[in-house]
Amino acid sequence: MRLTSTSDLWWKNAVIYCLDVETFADGNGDGCGDFRGLIQRIDHLHRLGVTCLWLMPFYPTPDRDDGYDITDFYGVDPRLGSLGDFVELMRTARDRGMRVIADLVINHTSAQHPWFQDSRSSPDSRYRDWYVWRDERPEDGPQGVVFPDQETSLWEYDRKAKQYYLHRFYKHQPDLNVTNPEVRDEIARIMGFWMELGLSGFRVDAVPFLLETAGSLDAADLPEPHDYLADLTAFQRRRNGEAVLLGEVNLPYPDTMPFFGPADGGGGTDELTMCFDFIGMQQMYLSLARSDAEPIAQALRERPDPPEDGHWATFVRNHDELTLDKLTDAQRTEVFEAFAPDEDMRLYGRGIRRRLPSMLGNDERRVRMVYSLLFSLPGTPVLFYGEEIGMVEDLSLPGRFAVRSDMDWSAVDEQRRDPGSLLEWMRRLVDAYRECPELAWGRYTVLDPGVDARPVLAHCCDTEDATVVALHNFADTDVRAVPKLPELAGKPLTDVLDPAAKPVDVAADGTLAIDLPPYGCRWLRT
Ligand code: MG
């Protein structure tokens, strides 16, 4: 039996909240969000029950890719404040019992980064090999281009260097050469720097691209990419044993699993601590479009268990377009037609630049059901700022900025005073999730809701101490679900989300019969 301590593995039942300092709260009245504003508003997040902040990039940037184009990995963009303000945030967050992680964007730099400027200046530059240069333009197909509407190739000719450089993203974002040991040392220094200032880990941007060496280099005897990720993890743990790496790995489940590290049976994660569940998320939208729980149920049945110390990170929306790239063409068309009928709502042919409530026709029953599902699913829930108040997108803004508009503080103030608001529902869900440790720690099973209950996702999570059964109705009709729970035969279950509701008995034959209203949801616990 392994020694485990639940609070050591704090991420297993964390509530992570992603925000961009620039759009969250303006503390100095110059129209741009900043660290002071975030500090002033941190009690909103504390009351919501957030346990970990995830900060989008706040580093100095020419801002041609919303801060994901960095010119100094050791600084704070002056529009957002100073390093001093950053440390004040760390101190304030710690005071509220919140951890903080931040985006680690090390696949590329801004083309304006002094390293790149030096690199292109001369073949003898000490930074020349920090990027990937080629005399001839290598072959690449359009499938490798991340932003097909903007870029047609992964390689750009630089007149000063008289060579081509690799850029997986925009041409103003040259890829770093992570096979260079000096670059690897520098990346470790960057991580060490921010951990010294209090960060509890990083959300690692574009992990498969970061590790990618195939096609970009000629030598066959390159270092194994996963060894590099394991090295980074080992380095991080030497500095801070409870720090995490939350990875952006949008691949099918079997291809995602290796990013947790080799399955050694010891329960530890040698590489990423958490990977986002992109597959489950996309199948959930297919379920919503069809009013049929089967796609999400199927994804949950197929989803491999991560190592015991690791976790999936679950989410409804994030800061990017809602990517539907892992659905079939026909499935993607179904979701587009249901939730993004206008061409202007779609992006790159693979995603939707809208937030949840507007996609669901602002039907609050449906919105509440989706968030109930998020908090009841096995995995660490990650919220994107504004979701707690039902913010919608602003399609007048270009591209992904539609979902990155300024936080609506007047709506927060209004909803705080209304016990029936979405914000209060979200607080109740967070409380319930934190009070039911079996959701984070237990074994989960997808249940058969019964032949007449296809719209219902029924699942249970159990430990030796308790079981939670969750039911979610994806349809606009009343549905009776009749899952079987033979171990709980004859036992009463209490309603977790509605303490006033009467307990429900599981029948002597193990059947739990529950009538759900349209888009209804219930959590029942032993
Ligand atoms: Mg400001």
Side-chain angles (χ1 to χ4, degrees):
M1 170 106 187
R2 296 173 61 239
L3 290 174
T4 53
S5 172
T6 55
S7 63
D8 282 353
L9 305 179
W10 61 269
W11 56 90
K12 292 272 282 189
N13 71 338
V15 177
I16 300 178
Y17 187 99
C18 170
L19 64 88
D20 187 350
V21 175
E22 185 181 346
T23 54
F24 194 65
D26 179 14
N28 63 1
D30 66 355
C32 178
D34 45 48
F35 277 100
R36 289 188 185 189
L38 169 54
I39 291 166
Q40 287 161 11
R41 294 291 191 170
I42 205 161
D43 282 310
H44 161 66
L45 304 175
H46 182 54
R47 273 192 297 267
L48 179 59
V50 171
T51 64
C52 178
L53 294 182
W54 155 18
L55 304 179
M56 287 168 66
F58 52 79
Y59 316 98
T61 174
D63 216 18
R64 295 183 62 192
D65 183 22
D66 206 14
Y68 284 87
D69 47 333
I70 294 167
T71 51
D72 176 6
F73 289 97
Y74 296 99
V76 167
D77 193 279
R79 293 170 307 134
L80 311 181
S82 64
L83 267 183
D85 294 328
F86 176 87
V87 171
E88 285 301 303
L89 170 68
M90 291 298 108
R91 187 231 161 276
T92 311
R94 192 169 65 240
D95 181 63
R96 306 300 195 277
M98 270 183 232
R99 289 178 171 84
V100 183
I101 64 175
D103 255 284
L104 183 68
V105 187
I106 49 177
N107 177 70
H108 51 259
T109 69
S110 163
Q112 295 178 34
H113 196 294
W115 300 341
F116 186 72
Q117 290 303 318
D118 201 298
S119 180
R120 66 195 282 258
S121 68
S122 156
D124 302 323
S125 159
R126 64 163 286 219
Y127 294 103
R128 186 66 158 195
D129 191 45
W130 282 42
Y131 297 86
V132 185
W133 295 101
R134 287 293 172 271
D135 287 331
E136 305 288 332
R137 181 197 290 272
E139 299 255 335
D140 61 32
Q143 71 281 359
V145 179
V146 175
F147 302 119
D149 60 330
Q150 307 265 340
E151 303 290 352
T152 53
S153 170
L154 303 183
W155 297 89
E156 183 70 12
Y157 186 71
D158 185 83
R159 264 183 268 175
K160 200 164 179 185
K162 299 190 175 59
Q163 282 190 314
Y164 293 88
Y165 63 88
L166 173 69
H167 64 92
R168 174 54 80 167
F169 292 82
Y170 295 113
K171 62 170 73 75
H172 58 77
Q173 291 167 321
D175 274 34
L176 280 166
N177 176 13
V178 294
T179 65
N180 180 333
E182 284 184 25
V183 171
R184 294 183 170 201
D185 281 352
E186 188 68 28
I187 290 170
R189 246 189 307 280
I190 293 163
M191 295 169 69
F193 176 81
W194 293 106
M195 288 195 293
E196 286 297 318
L197 294 185
L199 284 190
S200 296
F202 302 91
R203 177 264 186 183
V204 192
D205 192 49
V207 180
F209 296 132
L210 166 68
L211 298 184
E212 165 190 78
T213 49
S216 64
L217 289 163
D218 322 300
D221 55 350
L222 284 167
E224 162 60 34
H226 281 281
D227 288 349
Y228 175 47
L229 193 52
D231 284 350
L232 269 188
T233 303
F235 165 80
Q236 187 188 42
R237 292 193 182 152
R238 286 196 297 277
R239 295 292 176 92
N240 176 358
E242 59 164 33
V244 296
L245 291 178
L246 166 58
E248 182 189 29
V249 183
N250 179 10
L251 294 172
Y253 286 136
D255 302 327
T256 303
M257 289 306 288
F259 289 88
F260 286 111
D264 61 0
T269 52
D270 295 328
E271 298 180 25
L272 299 175
T273 323
M274 286 178 279
C275 293
F276 286 105
D277 183 3
F278 279 97
I279 303 297
M281 182 277 293
Q282 298 187 36
Q283 295 296 326
M284 181 194 76
Y285 280 96
L286 186 60
S287 274
L288 287 166
R290 291 180 177 174
S291 302
D292 177 0
E294 187 49 31
I296 176 76
Q298 181 71 15
L300 289 170
R301 282 191 290 261
E302 286 172 4
R303 194 175 75 167
D305 287 331
E308 200 174 333
D309 292 355
H311 225 9
W312 293 103
T314 49
F315 63 105
V316 168
R317 280 300 283 116
N318 66 11
H319 57 293
D320 286 333
E321 75 278 6
L322 163 59
T323 184
L324 303 169
D325 63 338
K326 297 298 182 288
L327 299 181
T328 65
D329 290 349
Q331 291 169 339
R332 191 178 314 110
T333 301
E334 272 185 82
V335 178
F336 273 152
E337 283 172 358
F339 301 135
D342 299 342
E343 196 54 42
D344 182 43
M345 299 167 174
R346 305 175 189 177
L347 204 57
Y348 312 130
R350 65 172 181 236
I352 299 178
R353 58 189 205 106
R354 306 186 78 187
R355 282 174 174 260
L356 181 77
S358 44
M359 281 191 275
L360 300 184
N362 294 302
D363 185 334
E364 194 149 325
R365 300 169 303 170
R366 237 174 152 185
V367 172
R368 288 175 187 228
M369 186 278 285
V370 169
Y371 286 109
S372 165
L373 180 66
L374 174 71
F375 283 97
S376 73
L377 285 180
T380 302
V382 182
L383 293 172
F384 181 50
Y385 74 91
E387 287 193 278
E388 73 274 29
I389 51 167
M391 256 176 72
V392 298
E393 71 281 356
D394 180 351
L395 289 173
S396 70
L397 299 172
R400 299 161 157 189
F401 287 100
V403 298
R404 299 180 183 178
S405 51
D406 289 347
M407 177 70 176
D408 184 351
W409 289 106
S410 61
V412 174
D413 293 338
E414 218 167 88
Q415 293 193 26
R416 274 182 59 192
R417 290 190 290 272
D418 174 5
S421 66
L422 180 64
L423 177 62
E424 291 305 305
W425 172 250
M426 297 291 262
R427 285 174 56 176
R428 202 183 320 161
L429 290 172
V430 173
D431 281 351
Y433 160 76
R434 298 279 291 176
E435 284 164 7
C436 297
E438 49 279 6
L439 291 176
W441 298 89
R443 296 168 297 272
Y444 82 96
T445 313
V446 178
L447 305 169
D448 178 358
V451 286
D452 298 322
R454 258 189 91 95
V456 174
L457 179 72
H459 71 280
C460 71
C461 302
D462 58 330
T463 60
E464 276 145 39
D465 301 323
T467 298
V468 174
V469 185
L471 300 118
H472 292 86
N473 181 4
F474 283 73
D476 190 18
T477 51
D478 294 313
V479 181
R480 163 164 281 214
V482 287
K484 300 274 189 208
L485 295 153
E487 293 88 46
L488 304 182
K491 288 197 177 157
L493 303 178
T494 54
D495 194 306
V496 178
L497 299 176
D498 180 7
K502 282 193 188 133
V504 181
D505 290 328
V506 180
D509 71 350
T511 303
L512 173 67
I514 297 288
D515 291 314
L516 290 165
Y519 306 122
C521 55
R522 290 191 79 174
W523 299 13
L524 300 162
R525 191 180 193 216
T526 54

